[in-house]
Amino acid sequence: MKRSILYLSLLVAAITACDRGSLKQNAAPDTRISVTEINLVGEERLRSEVTLHWLGTDVDGYVTSYELSLDGTNWTEVTSTDSTFNFSLTAGSDTTDIDFFVRAIDNDGARDETPAYLLVPIKNSPPTAIFDTVRTLPDTGFVVMTIFFDVDDSDGANNLDSVFLKLNNGPWYPFEPTVNTVTLVPQDPAFTGITSANVFVGPQADLLPNAIAGLNLEGDNTFYLKARDAAGAESVVDTSRALFYKRKTSDLLLVDAHNSGSTPTPEEVYDQALSPLFASYDRIDLTRDNGANIPQLWIPTFSFLLELYDKVFWYGSTAEVSILENAAAAVQNYLTGGGKVLISTSFPTDFDNSSSAITEFTPIDSAFVGLGPRLPLDSLLMPTAAFAADYDTLEASIFVGRATPIYVKSIAETIYNGQIFAPASYNGPTAMGALTRNGSGNINMVIVSVELQQVYARPQELENFFNQVLLNEFNW
């Protein structure tokens, strides 16, 4: 019996010893790259922006992260299994071979002792730079111009180093690679010949510290554009067509937003009235060639243009009120900065008083746009009592079928009432001209809600009107 008990004890001890066993050492993970070899040479090499994939396995655990290296010594830990790399090349070289290592790390912190390796043959591609001919570089530039261009690099945007612009025979002017909008404002806008311009970048118009040289005011200009990447490779130079760049010749700017046919034309009437008062004036036609001269950016382009002038006369028609709507913010900025504006326009029947930007910066509270009001031939625009001593009566030279009487804001002053012909039931306003003053009490805005070339039956009186507004009211 004792012998049996001893045998059982030895057996239990043996079994217990087998259960405890011996600890097995953790196995390191294994790593591989999805592509094992890239056999490309010469022009067939990869571009410097390359996407690589890798994967790790672990027989006795799981992979938690990876380490990447370009030299097998310095490692960077990541948790992803793919990434896009912008490999850099030595300046002046367009090809190189990149050593790429990756090793997995398991849940016990063990690293693959034989990292996966891939030789990546890359070739730098030169960038591209072209002028945006849809949005910029018209046949004629008006003192201020915004230039748009597109710059790209097939090796990735991060591979771009600089963008360069050259005006005629001037030096190359460098920009940051993210710049694609440049506004030029001549330092002396009245100069004739080769001069320099202040440079503003982006839609926010950030002023750069250095001016650009080579601009030819009142002459033909050719612009050049190129880009350079981090490896020193340059794009093919893009050359603009020749464009005439106008200079400033006067302190008065006429903004022509009138595209409706009339005889005589607004230009003929206004030239007759303004020539005795001004030796010269500048005019920009926003309706020419289907709006080719309309700024792609009202701000800053149009704002900068207005700021160069002491006073502005904007004339339009019913069909072109939308242009004034679009320019509203630029005109408001001009007024806020001390500008002076005369506006002459009629309004369409679908004019929306409740949302119009025009009612925000003009004396108009709302315009009467319903059918009915007319201004017959020989009817009058008569100055109100407060302005009778300074303003002459104007007389309709045609039958004005789209008269637009206005309600005037309480902070504004009515200058003219019209002899409006309307149905007996009409009970709307008769005001057709008004003004506002700035914080100093100076008149800075005058608007007439009829096209002034339609009330020139008394030419001298129309000339007197321009004299009173542009030379007297705006003389501050």
Side-chain angles (χ1 to χ4, degrees):
M1 187 69 171
K2 291 182 179 179
R3 185 175 180 180
S4 299
I5 293 173
L6 178 61
Y7 176 79
L8 180 60
S9 299
L10 291 173
L11 179 61
V12 170
I15 295 174
T16 303
C18 290
D19 283 346
R20 289 176 183 169
S22 58
L23 293 176
K24 184 177 181 180
Q25 186 174 0
N26 176 56
D30 183 58
T31 317
R32 60 184 184 276
I33 301 174
S34 59
V35 177
T36 59
E37 189 174 8
I38 301 176
N39 294 312
L40 298 176
V41 295
E43 295 298 322
E44 294 183 348
R45 285 171 170 253
L46 299 175
R47 63 181 187 173
S48 59
E49 182 179 88
V50 180
T51 300
L52 297 176
H53 305 261
W54 53 87
L55 182 66
T57 58
D58 189 34
V59 296
D60 57 357
Y62 54 91
V63 172
T64 59
S65 60
Y66 300 88
E67 288 183 327
L68 312 179
S69 176
L70 298 181
D71 58 10
T73 300
N74 300 293
W75 299 88
T76 300
E77 186 172 1
V78 299
T79 57
S80 59
T81 57
D82 62 77
S83 185
T84 298
F85 301 90
N86 275 295
F87 294 120
S88 60
L89 291 88
T90 304
S93 173
D94 65 350
T95 61
T96 192
D97 292 326
I98 300 295
D99 294 315
F100 180 76
F101 302 86
V102 58
R103 65 188 181 188
I105 304 174
D106 69 12
N107 55 299
D108 288 321
R111 289 164 169 77
D112 186 353
E113 298 176 356
T114 57
Y117 169 76
L118 181 67
L119 180 69
V120 184
I122 64 172
K123 178 179 177 62
N124 180 64
S125 299
T128 59
I130 59 173
F131 288 110
D132 185 340
T133 56
V134 175
R135 296 191 299 164
T136 191
L137 300 177
D139 294 332
T140 303
F142 289 89
V143 192
V144 176
M145 177 178 290
T146 297
I147 300 169
F148 304 87
F149 44 82
D150 296 311
V151 179
D152 195 14
D153 193 325
S154 61
D155 296 317
N158 292 335
N159 194 47
L160 286 168
D161 175 74
S162 301
V163 183
F164 298 88
L165 179 68
K166 184 169 78 165
L167 311 184
N168 301 305
N169 294 320
W172 287 103
Y173 189 100
F175 296 95
E176 292 295 322
T178 54
V179 171
N180 58 15
T181 305
V182 175
T183 300
L184 304 179
V185 181
Q187 292 186 316
D188 181 359
F191 186 81
T192 299
I194 306 298
T195 186
S196 297
N198 291 326
V199 182
F200 301 83
V201 296
Q204 296 79 23
D206 297 320
L207 176 63
L208 297 186
N210 299 317
I212 188 170
L215 182 65
N216 186 16
L217 279 178
E218 209 64 23
D220 288 333
N221 291 263
T222 302
F223 296 168
Y224 304 91
L225 179 73
K226 69 178 180 179
R228 184 178 66 199
D229 67 15
E234 294 188 350
S235 67
V236 175
V237 175
D238 191 26
T239 304
S240 77
R241 65 175 180 270
L243 62 98
F244 189 86
Y245 208 111
K246 286 189 173 182
R247 70 184 183 95
K248 174 187 173 184
T249 68
S250 171
D251 285 332
L252 172 64
L253 173 66
L254 270 61
V255 181
D256 180 356
H258 192 289
N259 196 32
S260 302
S262 62
T263 304
T265 66
E267 291 71 41
E268 291 172 327
V269 173
Y270 299 147
D271 186 66
Q272 180 181 344
L274 294 172
S275 292
L277 307 177
F278 296 90
S280 65
Y281 55 82
D282 294 342
R283 183 174 74 91
I284 178 171
D285 184 354
L286 298 183
T287 65
R288 174 178 171 266
D289 295 337
N290 296 316
N293 292 330
I294 291 179
Q296 292 295 326
L297 296 176
W298 290 100
I299 297 175
T301 315
F302 197 66
S303 286
F304 282 144
L305 177 65
L306 296 182
E307 289 171 6
L308 297 178
Y309 293 87
D310 180 62
K311 57 203 71 171
V312 173
F313 172 34
W314 178 299
Y315 61 94
S317 66
T318 299
E320 283 75 43
V321 165
S322 61
I323 302 178
L324 182 57
E325 293 270 10
N326 294 333
V331 176
Q332 178 64 74
N333 287 349
Y334 174 63
L335 291 168
T336 302
K340 310 152 191 177
V341 180
L342 166 63
I343 295 175
S344 166
T345 187
S346 54
F347 294 84
T349 56
D350 61 352
F351 180 72
D352 189 351
N353 288 297
S354 63
S355 63
S356 172
I358 295 175
T359 59
E360 295 180 8
F361 70 90
T362 69
I364 299 176
D365 179 76
S366 60
F368 186 89
V369 293
L371 296 174
R374 305 285 190 270
L375 201 63
L377 178 67
D378 300 333
S379 58
L380 305 176
L381 289 187
M382 299 172 295
T384 59
F387 294 94
D390 297 321
Y391 286 82
D392 289 340
T393 297
L394 303 178
E395 182 178 336
S397 49
I398 64 170
F399 182 86
V400 182
R402 269 300 302 135
T404 314
I406 58 175
Y407 291 97
V408 178
K409 293 176 180 175
S410 60
I411 60 171
E413 302 166 60
T414 301
I415 304 175
Y416 282 111
N417 286 308
Q419 284 186 328
I420 293 174
F421 173 81
S425 60
Y426 177 75
N427 61 355
T430 59
M432 299 191 73
L435 60 80
T436 52
R437 302 174 187 268
N438 61 18
S440 301
N442 297 314
I443 296 172
N444 67 342
M445 160 69 75
V446 174
I447 190 166
V448 180
S449 60
V450 65
E451 298 169 31
L452 284 170
Q453 82 276 1
Q454 298 175 339
V455 290
Y456 83 105
R458 304 180 184 184
Q460 186 58 53
E461 280 75 354
L462 184 59
E463 178 185 323
N464 293 344
F465 168 81
F466 282 114
N467 182 75
Q468 179 62 27
V469 174
L470 298 176
L471 296 180
N472 293 332
E473 307 287 27
F474 289 172
N475 185 28
W476 50 269

